[in-house]
């Protein structure tokens, strides 16, 4: 049995960590170990190398009255139900903690975000600079002493345009160019600081934050029962709204010990997979547009089929983007009437989908130009992908067999017949192939859900459990939960303080992690390959920046 497969309880992990542990906590999802801020690397190395926790899923940072605190949420790629929380407190006068970046590369972006929004400094981080807010920003918005009314005034020199003209150094063969932030190939407001040697990429640094709206702070100002649920739709606003809603529903239901009726679980599962298909259609269509500029055929084919899904979702929820359909304990309403007509519309779509997918394979995966552009470009080895916390189709395109629908079951997925899709090519081609094959698996799931819902006895169609009007979880209860979003692991950490609003609400965005791996994929490639690699990640900047 490998370390990743071996299961450890809290006492065994405590024995393994020994004197590194100075305190114990129990989070709803995992045992928590309190450690000193100068022992982060030692503890994470032990947990990774001796206990198999090879996935730094999330870093949650927050400030209390008497301390700052960082929580490293660790999982295993082979068994994500095995979780552990490493809690690192620091003093309020000097909030400095050791960086985890030498152990997990993904910690660099995690810690930059925690520094930017909360104010904790991570000693040894290779680039401890702001990541979501401008470098000229004054203060840290999620710290307790932040003055929201303070005007953000900077000098003209400090506020000068950082996107200067491309230029050569007199004694260098390299050139620095800016790609984006306003460019169709960047899939939104993303700026790529790129260093070239001729056409070859020597280095690229993604510059994010142009779409940051402090969604976490807005969620912390809302009540659990009603006011938070409309926000998740705005993270991955392109097509994954119901998947986003499920991420919040799952963590809030665990936090408040709420049940969801079986019938409502099937509705959630079906609607989530419709969103997944819509998301993958957009990903494939825009990727083909990136790679060889095919707007008329492939992009419009993808939009044609995506539009059918959007019409079904509109009939279902009343909306095309901001669905706001899930509710804690279930969903807001039942299948639209007449039910059989609605189910027939879904069946018609599923019946025509195999022919459509065959067209995509003819036009895309079987296209010689596409293969030349995508095979063996944007290579992301599985070990490197794990170091960056990569999940979703990007991870599965690198042969990482990781899918929370199967590995950490929720909804109705464990009652249905479907398969996790992986490809071993580790390149741009494999990532597209995974998404097309996942559409087939989503169709299987939807078909089974339709048959279950159509035959469900009318008197047992319970869409929502009995949820108290006001939810007040016990103070200092902490939980991290995640779902398999269209782009990967979409997780949320919540700490309660005994009031109807969260004391801390942290969003773990799969796009944020996947994008952080772009430099590894692009170094040594040509500029067109950089564009293809970025497109293969299928990022949505609303989810990257939140």
């Amino acid at each position: 049995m490998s370390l990743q497969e071996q299961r450890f309880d809290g006492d065994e992990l405590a024995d393994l960590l020994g004197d590194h542990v100075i305190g114990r906590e129990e989070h709803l999802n995992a045992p928590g170990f309190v450690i000193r801020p100068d022992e982060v690397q030692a503890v994470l190395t032990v947990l990774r190398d001796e206990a198999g926790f090879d996935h730094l899923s999330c870093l949650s940072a927050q400030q209390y009255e008497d301390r700052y605190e960082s929580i490293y949420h660790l999982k295993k790629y082979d068994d994500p139900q095995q979780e552990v929380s490493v809690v690192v407190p620091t003093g309020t006068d000097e909030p400095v903690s050791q960086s985890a970046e030498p152990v997990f590369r993904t910690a660099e972006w995690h810690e930059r975000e925690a520094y930017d929004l909360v104010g904790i400094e991570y000693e040894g981080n290779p680039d401890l600079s702001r990541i979501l807010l401008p470098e000229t920003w004054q203060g840290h918005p999620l710290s307790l002493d932040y003055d929201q009314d303070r005007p953000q005034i900077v000098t003209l020199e400090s506020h000068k345009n950082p996107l200067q003209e491309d230029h050569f150094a007199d004694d260098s063969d390299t050139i620095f160019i800016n790609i984006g932030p306003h460019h169709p190939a960047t899939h939104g407001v993303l700026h790529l600081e790129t260093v070239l040697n001729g056409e070859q990429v020597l280095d690229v640094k993604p510059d994010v934050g142009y779409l940051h709206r402090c969604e976490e702070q807005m969620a912390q100002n809302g009540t659990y029962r009603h006011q938070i649920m409309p926000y998740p739709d705005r993270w991955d606003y392109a097509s994954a709204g119901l998947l986003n809603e499920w991420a919040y529903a799952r963590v809030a239901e665990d936090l408040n010990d709420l049940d969801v009726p079986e019938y409502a679980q099937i509705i959630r599962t079906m609607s989530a997979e419709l969103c997944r298909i819509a998301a993958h259609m957009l990903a494939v269509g825009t990727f083909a547009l990136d790679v060889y500029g095919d707007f008329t055929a492939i992009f419009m084919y993808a939009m044609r089929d995506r539009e059918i899904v959007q019409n079904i979702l509109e009939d279902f929820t009343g909306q095309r983007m901001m669905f706001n359909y899930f509710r804690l304990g279930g969903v807001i309403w039942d299948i639209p009437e007449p039910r059989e007509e609605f189910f027939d519309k879904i069946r018609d779509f599923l019946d025509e989908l195999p022919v459509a997918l065959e067209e995509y394979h003819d036009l895309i995966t079987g296209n010689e130009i596409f293969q030349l552009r995508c095979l063996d470009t944007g290579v992301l080895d599985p070990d490197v992908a794990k170091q960056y916390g990569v999940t979703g189709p990007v991870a599965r395109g690198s042969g990482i067999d990781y899918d929370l629908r199967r590995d950490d079951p929720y909804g109705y997925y464990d009652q249905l017949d479907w398969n996790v899709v992986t490809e071993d090519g580790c390149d741009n081609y494999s990532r597209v192939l995974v998404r097309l094959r996942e559409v087939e698996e989503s169709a299987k799931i939807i078909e089974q859900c339709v048959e279950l819902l159509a035959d469900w006895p009318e008197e047992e169609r319970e869409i929502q459990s009995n949820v108290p009007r006001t939810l007040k979880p016990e103070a200092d209860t902490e939980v991290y939960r995640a779902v398999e979003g269209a782009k990967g692991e979409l997780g949320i950490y919540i700490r309660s303080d005994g009031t109807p609003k969260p004391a801390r609400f942290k969003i773990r965005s799969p796009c944020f992690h996947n994008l952080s791996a772009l430099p590894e994929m692009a170094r040594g490639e040509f500029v067109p390959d950089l564009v293809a690699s970025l497109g293969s990640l299928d990022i949505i900047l609303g989810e990257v920046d939140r």
Side-chain angles (χ1 to χ4, degrees):
M1 180 183 295
S2 68
L3 281 176
Q4 283 70 34
E5 295 171 322
Q6 187 175 348
R7 299 186 70 84
F8 295 83
D9 62 27
D11 291 337
E12 290 171 330
L13 289 174
D15 291 340
L16 190 64
L17 294 174
D19 292 339
H20 292 303
V21 178
I22 60 173
R24 292 279 296 269
E25 294 183 2
E26 280 300 325
H27 301 174
L28 290 185
N29 61 304
F33 298 98
V34 183
I35 67 168
R36 296 177 182 87
D38 60 348
E39 296 188 343
V40 172
Q41 293 174 17
V43 169
L44 295 188
T45 299
V46 169
L47 290 172
R48 184 193 65 187
D49 297 345
E50 299 183 35
F53 289 92
D54 56 349
H55 180 24
L56 175 52
S57 181
C58 185
L59 166 61
S60 303
Q62 52 196 309
Q63 183 183 3
Y64 295 78
E65 292 292 343
D66 61 341
R67 69 190 185 282
Y68 286 84
E69 190 174 270
S70 303
I71 303 177
Y72 294 87
H73 304 273
L74 299 179
K75 292 184 178 182
K76 298 181 179 182
Y77 272 102
D78 287 346
D79 182 9
Q81 289 185 311
Q82 274 274 288
E83 300 179 68
V84 60
S85 299
V86 177
V87 183
V88 188
T90 61
T92 55
D93 54 337
E94 191 177 359
V96 179
S97 179
Q98 189 179 59
S99 173
E101 189 275 341
V103 186
F104 293 102
R105 285 287 295 119
T106 187
E108 179 185 330
W109 276 31
H110 278 298
E111 291 169 354
R112 286 179 63 192
E113 181 181 347
Y115 162 72
D116 194 1
L117 299 184
V118 181
I120 302 173
E121 297 185 17
Y122 295 89
E123 194 171 46
N125 187 294
D127 182 19
L128 192 63
S129 57
R130 292 191 182 271
I131 190 169
L132 297 177
L133 300 176
E135 278 297 326
T136 55
W137 196 267
Q138 306 295 307
H140 305 278
L142 294 182
S143 62
L144 295 182
D145 59 353
Y146 181 69
D147 182 3
Q148 298 193 34
D149 297 323
R150 179 180 182 178
Q152 293 291 333
I153 300 175
V154 294
T155 64
L156 291 175
E157 176 64 23
S158 299
H159 200 53
K160 67 182 180 180
N161 181 10
L163 308 183
Q164 300 178 23
E165 295 182 359
D166 303 339
H167 59 276
F168 280 102
D170 293 336
D171 57 347
S172 175
D173 293 330
T174 64
I175 183 175
F176 174 85
I177 68 169
N178 296 294
I179 302 176
H182 301 293
H183 191 285
T186 60
H187 290 249
V189 279
L190 169 66
H191 171 213
L192 299 178
E193 300 174 359
T194 312
V195 179
L196 303 178
N197 182 3
E199 282 277 316
Q200 195 172 31
V201 177
L202 295 184
D203 191 28
V204 60
K205 180 180 178 181
D207 177 21
V208 303
Y210 292 89
L211 206 57
H212 177 61
R213 297 149 292 164
C214 216
E215 288 274 358
E216 295 173 2
Q217 176 111 26
M218 289 192 284
Q220 287 171 196
N221 289 331
T223 57
Y224 293 105
R225 178 71 194 275
H226 294 299
Q227 294 178 344
I228 295 176
M229 188 60 82
Y231 288 117
D233 287 310
R234 280 120 177 116
W235 303 341
D236 179 357
Y237 46 72
S239 46
L242 296 179
L243 294 160
N244 302 345
E245 292 176 20
W246 206 342
Y248 170 61
R250 190 179 190 201
V251 70
E253 285 159 1
D254 275 8
L255 185 66
N256 293 280
D257 196 23
L258 301 176
D259 294 324
V260 180
E262 188 177 8
Y263 180 74
Q265 294 282 28
I266 300 173
I267 292 178
R268 283 183 173 188
T269 303
M270 180 184 72
S271 61
E273 293 308 306
L274 285 166
C275 275
R276 195 180 310 276
I277 291 179
H280 286 350
M281 290 296 179
L282 182 64
V284 169
T286 54
F287 185 67
L289 194 61
D290 285 339
V291 170
Y292 52 94
D294 195 332
F295 182 85
T296 306
I298 299 168
F299 181 79
M300 294 310 295
Y301 273 47
M303 291 304 102
R304 172 200 66 185
D305 295 319
R306 171 184 158 87
E307 198 68 11
I308 298 172
V309 179
Q310 291 293 100
N311 289 339
I312 293 171
L313 289 169
E314 184 179 13
D315 290 345
F316 199 22
T317 69
Q319 304 292 333
R320 297 181 67 83
M321 285 183 67
M322 308 304 167
F323 301 110
N324 194 21
Y325 176 71
F326 282 25
R327 291 294 182 271
L328 300 189
V331 295
I332 189 172
W333 53 61
D334 200 352
I335 303 296
E337 298 287 350
R339 290 170 63 90
E340 198 55 40
E341 182 179 312
F342 178 74
F343 290 141
D344 285 343
K345 183 179 290 189
I346 297 177
R347 292 189 185 104
D348 290 344
F349 168 69
L350 297 179
D351 289 343
E352 296 170 3
L353 191 57
V355 175
L357 289 172
E358 192 64 34
E359 289 178 334
Y360 292 133
H361 284 294
D362 289 341
L363 289 166
I364 304 176
T365 59
N367 184 292
E368 183 179 356
I369 299 175
F370 188 88
Q371 292 176 3
L372 287 170
R373 289 290 310 279
C374 296
L375 285 168
D376 298 323
T377 63
V379 174
L380 184 63
D381 292 330
D383 290 341
V384 177
K386 290 180 179 180
Q387 270 286 307
Y388 283 87
V390 167
T391 54
V394 180
R396 292 190 285 274
S398 291
I400 300 172
D401 190 8
Y402 180 81
D403 191 312
L404 293 177
R405 294 173 294 175
R406 178 202 62 195
D407 300 331
D408 186 15
Y410 58 95
Y412 214 69
Y413 288 110
D414 58 348
Q415 305 294 316
L416 305 173
D417 180 24
W418 60 283
N419 299 304
V420 174
V421 174
T422 61
E423 290 287 337
D424 294 328
C426 304
D427 55 13
N428 292 327
Y429 188 85
S430 292
R431 291 186 274 277
V432 173
L433 202 55
V434 164
R435 291 189 180 94
L436 286 172
R437 291 179 57 199
E438 282 191 358
V439 170
E440 298 176 25
E441 297 302 318
S442 292
K444 289 183 190 177
I445 294 171
I446 294 167
E447 184 176 21
Q448 294 171 74
C449 289
V450 166
E451 298 311 314
L452 287 167
L453 293 170
D455 296 337
W456 207 268
E458 185 174 357
E459 64 276 7
E460 297 178 15
R461 295 173 188 167
E462 187 180 359
I463 62 170
Q464 192 173 140
S465 60
N466 185 21
V467 179
R469 184 181 298 273
T470 301
L471 297 172
K472 291 184 179 181
E474 188 176 339
D476 289 326
T477 306
E478 300 177 59
V479 61
Y480 171 81
R481 278 284 181 260
V483 301
E484 188 66 35
K487 277 71 171 172
E489 180 181 330
L490 176 59
I492 296 172
Y493 161 85
I494 292 180
R495 177 178 66 86
S496 64
D497 61 357
T499 71
K501 299 178 180 181
R504 182 70 173 101
F505 189 101
K506 174 72 177 73
I507 305 163
R508 191 265 186 207
S509 155
C511 288
F512 184 78
H513 295 71
N514 294 350
L515 178 60
S516 72
L518 180 63
E520 299 282 354
M521 301 161 61
R523 288 192 190 102
E525 303 279 10
F526 294 105
V527 174
D529 301 327
L530 166 62
V531 172
S533 298
L534 176 62
S536 76
L537 294 176
D538 183 28
I539 59 167
I540 294 293
L541 270 300
E543 188 184 275
V544 173
D545 294 350
R546 286 149 286 140

